[in-house]
Amino acid sequence: MDLLLTAAIFHDLGKVDELSYHRSFDYSDEGRLLGHIILGIERVEDKIKQLPDFPKDLSTLLKHFLLSHHGQYNWGSPKKPMTLEAVLLHFLDDMDAKINGIQQFIKKEVPEGSRWSTYHRSFEQYFYVPLPWEQTELPEKIGKDALEDE
């Protein structure tokens, strides 16, 4: 679990150098030429060199997470995930990107007063969105503790 948590924190580390911000976000020259995966590997390697007894196998695993987190060659991964943690990281990163994309789509593509979005070509479907007054919030406590408080 510690390894997966570390991978989740570091997998997009290279975006610090890939992106620049002046008045809006844009790509740096390094970002356009090398991309966040390579830039992240360089950052990790630089830090590991500063730790004299850092285990070689752990270094390899950390770099593998960065290289494989996109999951597929056609999605920009130089390597496919080859450990359980790397596969989990890829699925979590992919799910995060998809959920964010759906949320942005819903913000833009649900006509006012409608419960349905326009058609989403990538997902090949419409999305149902309850009207604000129909939405319910989850209780703060769920389970045995919630029943005891009543």
Side-chain angles (χ1 to χ4, degrees):
M1 187 62 150
D2 291 345
L3 198 54
L4 180 58
L5 185 57
T6 302
I9 292 168
F10 284 133
H11 79 281
D12 276 339
L13 180 65
K15 287 189 178 183
V16 171
D17 300 314
E18 180 183 41
L19 300 172
S20 64
Y21 180 80
H22 295 290
R23 289 199 169 134
S24 63
F25 281 105
D26 197 6
Y27 286 87
S28 65
D29 293 339
E30 279 185 314
R32 288 186 191 274
L33 293 168
L34 301 176
H36 74 280
I37 292 175
I38 298 300
L39 294 170
I41 292 288
E42 288 177 348
R43 277 186 171 254
V44 167
E45 285 178 336
D46 288 346
K47 289 299 177 188
I48 287 173
K49 286 176 186 174
Q50 296 173 16
L51 303 169
D53 295 327
F54 197 88
K56 176 96 171 111
D57 59 338
L58 188 54
S59 170
T60 301
L61 285 173
L62 286 174
K63 289 186 267 185
H64 176 69
F65 293 134
L66 273 70
L67 290 168
S68 66
H69 77 272
H70 286 183
Q72 299 177 31
Y73 301 131
N74 61 339
W75 288 358
S77 259
K79 298 297 293 180
K80 287 188 175 186
M82 296 183 196
T83 67
L84 178 59
E85 293 87 357
V87 171
L88 282 166
L89 176 65
H90 161 61
F91 286 144
L92 291 169
D93 189 50
D94 183 52
M95 181 177 61
D96 178 59
K98 286 178 177 164
I99 295 300
N100 185 47
I102 292 169
Q103 288 174 322
Q104 296 305 314
F105 179 80
I106 287 171
K107 282 182 185 176
K108 295 177 185 172
E109 298 296 330
V110 175
E112 189 166 334
S114 177
R115 290 185 173 121
W116 290 96
S117 73
T118 58
Y119 188 76
H120 194 298
R121 289 184 186 175
S122 297
F123 284 94
E124 299 178 339
Q125 69 179 62
Y126 299 90
F127 289 98
Y128 177 78
V129 182
L131 296 172
W133 57 87
E134 297 173 330
Q135 295 179 7
T136 59
E137 292 188 27
L138 293 174
E140 288 184 31
K141 292 183 177 181
I142 296 177
K144 183 180 166 191
D145 292 341
L147 296 174
E148 290 175 358
D149 288 347
E150 293 180 349

